[in-house]
């Protein structure tokens, strides 16, 4: 689907509001209509090219409403109001001991660019747009 996102098209570039393509959620994913997002210094670090490969949609303090859920999702349903958070693997020792913020794959899952499965949900022309902090909340919708 077409959505609007604040894209950073290169290191230290301004945010540019653009129409991008957002893929449908996979089985274990949800489509969120974003309602609010904070702006944090970590987003500025991302804009400066210090965290995540360009091109990127930043934003990591989003709230929104669940619009659609994948077939394997049971924790939320359409209409739920949600706060978005970071990605974690759920399988490493730290995750299993209740500390997902210390996930051993934290950097890969939140800053490397692709989703957990190595693919991207946001695209612009022929470019894949990096996922940021598991959410890329500077957009009207995210997966
Ligand atoms: Zn922050
Ligand atoms: Zn983990």
């Amino acid at each position: 689907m077409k959505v609007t996102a604040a894209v950073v098209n290169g290191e230290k570039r301004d945010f540019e509001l653009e129409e991008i393509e957002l893929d449908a959620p996979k089985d274990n994913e949800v489509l969120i209509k974003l309602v609010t997002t904070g702006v944090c210094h970590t987003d500025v670090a991302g804009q400066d090219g210090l965290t995540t490969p360009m091109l990127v949609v930043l934003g990591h303090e989003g709230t929104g409403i669940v619009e659609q859920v994948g077939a394997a999702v049971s924790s939320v349903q359409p209409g739920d109001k949600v706060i978005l958070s970071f990605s974690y693997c759920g399988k490493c020792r730290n995750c299993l001991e209740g500390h997902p913020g210390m996930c051993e794959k934290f950097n890969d899952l939140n800053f490397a660019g692709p989703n957990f499965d190595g693919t991207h949900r946001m695209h612009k022309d022929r470019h894949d747009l990096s996922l940021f902090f598991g959410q890329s909340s500077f957009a009207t919708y995210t997966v």
Side-chain angles (χ1 to χ4, degrees):
M1 64 189 278
K2 300 283 187 198
V3 305
T4 301
V7 180
V8 179
N9 287 293
E11 291 179 12
K12 302 181 188 292
R13 298 259 309 258
D14 286 340
F15 294 98
E16 296 180 63
L17 286 180
E18 299 178 26
E19 187 177 79
I20 65 165
E21 185 66 30
L22 179 66
D23 294 343
K26 294 188 176 181
D27 281 355
N28 61 340
E29 297 176 343
V30 297
L31 174 67
I32 306 285
K33 178 179 183 175
L34 287 151
V35 175
T36 69
T37 185
V39 179
C40 169
H41 74 289
T42 311
D43 298 305
V44 177
Q47 185 180 22
D48 286 346
L50 301 176
T51 62
T52 307
M54 299 292 163
L55 314 177
V56 61
V57 177
L58 297 165
H60 64 285
E61 299 177 353
T63 70
I65 300 167
V66 176
E67 288 263 317
Q68 185 183 342
V69 301
V73 173
S74 59
S75 56
V76 293
Q77 59 189 357
D80 285 353
K81 296 174 182 172
V82 291
I83 298 171
L84 285 64
S85 189
F86 52 83
S87 292
Y88 56 94
C89 78
K91 297 172 185 164
C92 74
R93 179 178 176 157
N94 290 337
C95 282
L96 292 173
E97 290 181 349
H99 304 290
M102 302 295 288
C103 176
E104 292 171 5
K105 295 184 176 174
F106 192 91
N107 285 336
D108 283 345
L109 293 173
N110 290 286
F111 301 117
N115 280 46
F116 64 96
D117 64 354
T119 65
H120 295 75
R121 303 296 169 272
M122 291 180 169
H123 315 276
K124 174 190 148 181
D125 305 324
R126 293 180 178 272
H127 298 283
D128 292 324
L129 298 169
S130 289
L131 176 71
F132 186 68
F133 253 116
Q135 58 180 277
S136 292
S137 62
F138 292 170
T140 51
Y141 291 82
T142 193
V143 169

